[in-house]
Amino acid sequence: MKRIITLILAASLVLGGVCNASAIDFKAKGEWLMNFDLGTGGKFVSKGRDGKNAVGNYRAAGHGVEDNFEARQRVRLELTAVASEALSGTVFFEMGDSVWGASNSLYGGGGALGADGSVVELKRAYIDWVVPSTDLKLRMGIQGYYLPSETFGSAILMEDGAGITASYKFNNNVSLTSFWLRPYNDNATATNTGDTRVSANYLDNVDFFGLVMPLDFEGIKITPWVMAGAIGENFDRTNVNFATEIAGGSKVYNGASPIDFRRNTTALVAPPGALDDNARHLLRADAYSSAVWAGLTGKITLADPFRFSWDFNYGSVTTGREEYDRSGWMLSALAEYKTEWGTPGLVGWWGSGDDGNIKNGSEIMPFVSIGSGGYNLSTLGTWGEPWLSNDGIMGYNAVGTWGFGARIMEFSFVEALKHNIRVNYFRGTNDPDMAGYITGTRSYKGQGKATGLSDFNSYGTYLTTEDSGMEVNLDTHYDIYKNLDMWVHLGYIHLWLDDSANMWGGYDKKGNSHGLNATDAWRASISFRYSF
């Protein structure tokens, strides 16, 4: 009997060793986020050109359906199965955003009485593996795509998408990353426009290909990059509401209005697209529009703790019809000095703007998509923090504007309590004549108002060289426990807009001119995050 027991134990040890050798190591992380937000949502203008309250003018860039006070929550869970250093798989789930009390999934469903909302989303799912006997790393699947930036975050692409990324490190100073991203495909339908000439899923794909080469040396880092691609002429002929589903924009997708481009996926094409009001798509001449972006980012730390960094980006989309083409550039810079109590800094940026000719397309830099919490020039006007608050009310990024500001990051005089303060002044770089095509004081091809609504911020914000503004942010971070922190966000924006009748002002029924009835934007929110 002892001999039999000994054999069983020996066999168990052998089998156990085999199981351990082939075991998968699971790693999990996630966060629970609760947010309570009070603010005006950036409803800068409450009346239309006729002097009456206009529903369109109650919505700022993507926040027209929000109340002044809202409570939200979100849960994110990420699970990675690690087979070895050369092979792993990751799946990333997101539950929410859920607005407390809301049942409609478009507006954060699952928070109404009874709950049970269908709000579980697949955020990312990919595999990482190394080509055998090489140092070439591959990532395949739905993943995060972030173009290089050393200042505020990429003004072109910071978003999740499906594709393949390959990276290779030549040495400690030089590496190369290439990628293929397919943001859209198989979404087109004929039913949403009633155009029987469009068959389902025909010429509706969008593909981007990119190269990024970081050059990292002691005290200086420079990263040149390029991204090119093709945009199918029917990619936006779809029942998918891009403005709401992708960018949190206006409820009705009506093409690329002169002010809508700041927010949604039609930032790939020129503003005049909205002037074809008979279709919800863009009547481009080429089957595939060609797109190209290029940039050079850099960071100098030779005089550490002083740091200077910059981003220069250029982008162009050619459609085959000049009036729909779009090309432009953007330069941003950051200088900061790190101390024991915080990091003060100065910021500046300049983005090209539209000229006064509506027939030659747009001169604002095209962009793809900016995810929440990516573009941290500010935390109210731009998409600068990921805490579900009412931010990004001026647009995802700062294209079509120039400005400068001062900030102090992570300054603290009390343990576990830190603050970020930002003060920015900005001004539009767009020709005032373009505002006339938005309001209808100017016409193109015999048409009046491009959007069908009225005036400033109907579908976003569009600043001309006659318009300027100022933003102040104070964000406070407190560590309650090791895994529980609290954020308090305070933000305020004031705009100085040209309210003359030929700009954003208007006329009443008697022909008398009136101003904008403009108001300031503000936000106060508190967020709690449990992370592990």
Side-chain angles (χ1 to χ4, degrees), residues 338-379:
K338 188 173 184 179
T339 69
E340 294 182 355
W341 53 268
T343 305
L346 299 175
V347 303
W349 72 94
W350 192 293
S352 60
D354 287 331
D355 61 21
N357 184 1
I358 199 172
K359 298 179 182 180
N360 66 355
S362 174
E363 290 72 40
I364 299 176
M365 184 181 71
F367 65 94
V368 182
S369 184
I370 311 298
S372 177
Y375 197 78
N376 62 3
L377 173 63
S378 65
T379 56

Side-chain angles (χ1 to χ4, degrees), residues 49 54 121 124 129 135 152 159 185 187-188 203 251 266 274 366 371 395 403 425-426 498-499 501 504 514:
R49 296 183 64 78
E121 305 168 359
R124 296 179 185 176
W129 61 285
D135 294 325
F152 319 129
E159 192 59 273
N185 188 41
N187 298 309
L203 295 178
K251 290 188 294 184
T266 54
Y425 171 84
F426 52 90
D498 187 335
D499 64 352
W504 303 119
H514 64 80

Side-chain angles (χ1 to χ4, degrees), residues 460-482:
T461 48
Y462 187 86
L463 298 180
T464 73
T465 55
E466 301 298 320
D467 307 315
S468 61
M470 180 190 70
E471 177 175 358
V472 179
N473 303 138
L474 175 60
D475 306 310
T476 298
H477 174 214
Y478 175 65
D479 292 325
I480 302 175
Y481 296 116
K482 180 180 179 180

Side-chain angles (χ1 to χ4, degrees), residues 441-510:
T441 58
R442 290 175 173 267
S443 64
Y444 178 61
K445 294 184 178 180
Q447 297 186 4
K449 293 180 181 178
T451 64
L453 291 174
S454 56
D455 301 349
F456 185 81
N457 77 269
S458 291
Y459 279 95
T461 48
Y462 187 86
L463 298 180
T464 73
T465 55
E466 301 298 320
D467 307 315
S468 61
M470 180 190 70
E471 177 175 358
V472 179
N473 303 138
L474 175 60
D475 306 310
T476 298
H477 174 214
Y478 175 65
D479 292 325
I480 302 175
Y481 296 116
K482 180 180 179 180
N483 298 95
L484 178 65
D485 53 9
M486 177 182 70
W487 283 84
V488 176
H489 302 284
L490 302 175
Y492 173 81
I493 298 177
H494 176 78
L495 296 182
W496 292 277
L497 301 175
D498 187 335
D499 64 352
S500 60
N502 62 338
M503 278 287 290
W504 303 119
Y507 298 94
D508 58 24
K509 289 185 177 180
K510 296 182 180 180

